[in-house]
């Protein structure tokens, strides 16, 4: 439908949008540009000053904004599964509008790992850690589940994540789909002479965005790898010197 000659009024519901920094913000911006280039009318509905409001209050205010904005829309696209998806789905159902949810990352898993420092893998999270969720996290799980089950379509970026969520949220395969992230043209690659662990460590630290509790063990692993490389090199030099002496 996006590439048909019938132009639509599309609303993109997103938690962040430039000048906010983050992948979802950039994704929403590029999505807006692409739809506009196809001739559609696009409105972006994002959190503004209400970000400072307490949980629940800001969601209620966003719901009021959705109810005010959605009547003229042909389609709503929500770019998360809780903060904007839950109020957006409620408003869409009241107004009988079509809504698509694009999952992105797993907000509940990220929240749990940050709170507990339990570095459980996402593929194991819903099987092994669900009983350890606190009340707020369980509420997020149930409200997110309501939103994604009542959306007209739920889109994943990978088949891997879809297979994790199907049993975890009791989803039907027919209501889901896969829309992969954009892959740019492949750049010419040059085989490395050797692994540059110092550069890898610097890149890893840059991606942490100062989220130390969540990534501390990963940093420790990188440091151990770096120390082992340095130690091996020193031992190799020492062994060469000893052979030269004898």
């Amino acid at each position: 439908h996006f590439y048909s000659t019938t132009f639509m009024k599309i609303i993109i519901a997103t938690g962040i949008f430039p000048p906010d920094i983050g992948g979802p913000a950039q994704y929403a911006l590029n999505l807006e540009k692409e739809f506009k280039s196809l001739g559609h009318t696009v409105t972006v509905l994002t959190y503004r000053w209400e970000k400072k409001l307490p949980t629940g209050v800001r969601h209620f205010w966003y719901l009021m904004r959705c109810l005010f904005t959605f009547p003229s829309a042909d389609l709503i696209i929500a770019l998360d599964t809780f903060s904007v998806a839950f109020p957006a789905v409620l408003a869409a159902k009241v107004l009988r509008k079509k809504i698509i949810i694009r999952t992105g990352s797993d907000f509940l898993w990220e929240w749990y790992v940050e709170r507990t420092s339990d570095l459980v893998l996402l593929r194991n999270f819903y099987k092994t850690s669900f009983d350890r969720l606190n009340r707020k996290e369980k509420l997020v799980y149930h409200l997110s589940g309501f939103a994604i089950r009542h959306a007209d379509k739920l889109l994943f970026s990978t088949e891997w994540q879809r297979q994790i969520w199907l049993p975890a949220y009791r989803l039907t395969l027919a209501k889901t789909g896969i829309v992969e992230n954009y892959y740019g043209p492949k750049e010419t690659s040059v085989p490395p002479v050797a692994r540059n662990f110092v550069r890898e460590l610097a890149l890893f630290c840059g991606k942490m965005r100062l989220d130390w509790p969540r990534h501390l063990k990963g940093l420790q692993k990188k440091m151990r790898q770096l120390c082992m490389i340095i130690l091996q090199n020193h031992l190799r030099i020492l062994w060469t010197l000893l052979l030269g002496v004898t």
Side-chain angles (χ1 to χ4, degrees):
H1 296 296
F2 296 139
Y3 294 90
S4 68
T5 56
T6 302
F7 301 127
M8 296 185 295
K9 295 181 179 179
I10 301 173
I11 294 178
I12 299 174
T14 176
I16 58 175
F17 190 76
D20 296 325
I21 298 174
Q26 194 62 41
Y27 188 92
L29 177 63
N30 291 335
L31 200 61
E32 178 194 29
K33 291 179 179 178
E34 182 65 20
F35 284 148
K36 284 184 175 180
S37 70
L38 296 173
H40 303 295
T41 301
V42 183
T43 300
V44 176
L45 188 64
T46 186
Y47 277 91
R48 299 179 301 196
W49 57 267
E50 60 263 41
K51 292 178 182 178
K52 300 179 181 179
L53 296 176
T55 302
V57 177
R58 65 172 175 264
H59 296 92
F60 177 77
W61 181 255
Y62 191 82
L63 170 62
M64 295 298 102
R65 292 180 61 202
C66 290
L67 290 171
F68 179 80
T69 309
F70 286 4
S72 62
D74 298 308
L75 177 67
I76 299 104
I77 301 176
L79 298 183
D80 79 354
T81 58
F82 175 63
S83 295
V84 300
F86 179 66
V89 166
L90 286 179
K93 292 307 170 186
V94 170
L95 299 171
R96 298 183 179 180
K97 299 292 182 178
K98 296 289 185 181
I99 182 167
I100 297 173
I101 293 179
R102 196 253 186 189
T103 60
S105 60
D106 192 309
F107 171 71
L108 180 60
W109 168 68
E110 291 179 352
W111 197 350
Y112 170 82
V113 170
E114 185 173 351
R115 178 181 66 85
T116 64
S117 298
D118 177 13
L119 300 182
V120 58
L121 299 177
L122 176 56
R123 66 172 180 264
N124 300 326
F125 171 63
Y126 292 98
K127 299 176 183 177
T128 63
S129 303
F130 187 80
D131 292 338
R132 293 194 288 274
L133 299 182
N134 60 25
R135 290 184 179 179
K136 187 174 182 179
E137 290 161 349
K138 288 182 178 179
L139 179 62
V140 169
Y141 167 79
H142 290 296
L143 295 181
S144 297
F146 172 88
I148 61 181
R149 282 192 296 271
H150 287 81
D152 295 283
K153 198 75 174 180
L154 179 65
L155 300 179
F156 296 89
S157 58
T158 65
E159 177 65 26
W160 176 77
Q161 187 183 18
R162 176 163 68 173
Q163 292 304 319
I164 294 173
W165 279 38
L166 283 175
Y169 287 96
R170 304 185 302 279
L171 305 175
T172 57
L173 183 63
K175 287 189 66 173
T176 67
I178 304 291
V179 176
E180 295 185 350
N181 291 325
Y182 169 73
Y183 302 104
K186 187 179 185 303
E187 298 182 358
T188 304
S189 60
V190 179
V193 178
R195 292 186 66 181
N196 190 335
F197 277 86
V198 175
R199 181 174 179 275
E200 288 186 11
L201 181 61
L203 290 174
F204 177 81
C205 292
K207 293 177 181 178
M208 286 173 58
R209 296 181 296 177
L210 302 180
D211 195 358
W212 290 103
R214 182 175 159 194
H215 297 284
L216 183 58
K217 291 187 178 180
L219 177 62
Q220 291 172 340
K221 181 179 178 181
K222 285 290 183 181
M223 289 298 294
R224 286 196 296 269
Q225 290 177 342
L226 179 60
C227 290
M228 286 300 297
I229 293 297
I230 295 173
L231 179 60
Q232 289 172 2
N233 288 336
H234 284 182
L235 290 175
R236 189 178 297 112
I237 294 172
L238 181 60
W239 180 251
T240 302
L241 292 175
L242 289 174
L243 290 177
V245 171
T246 56

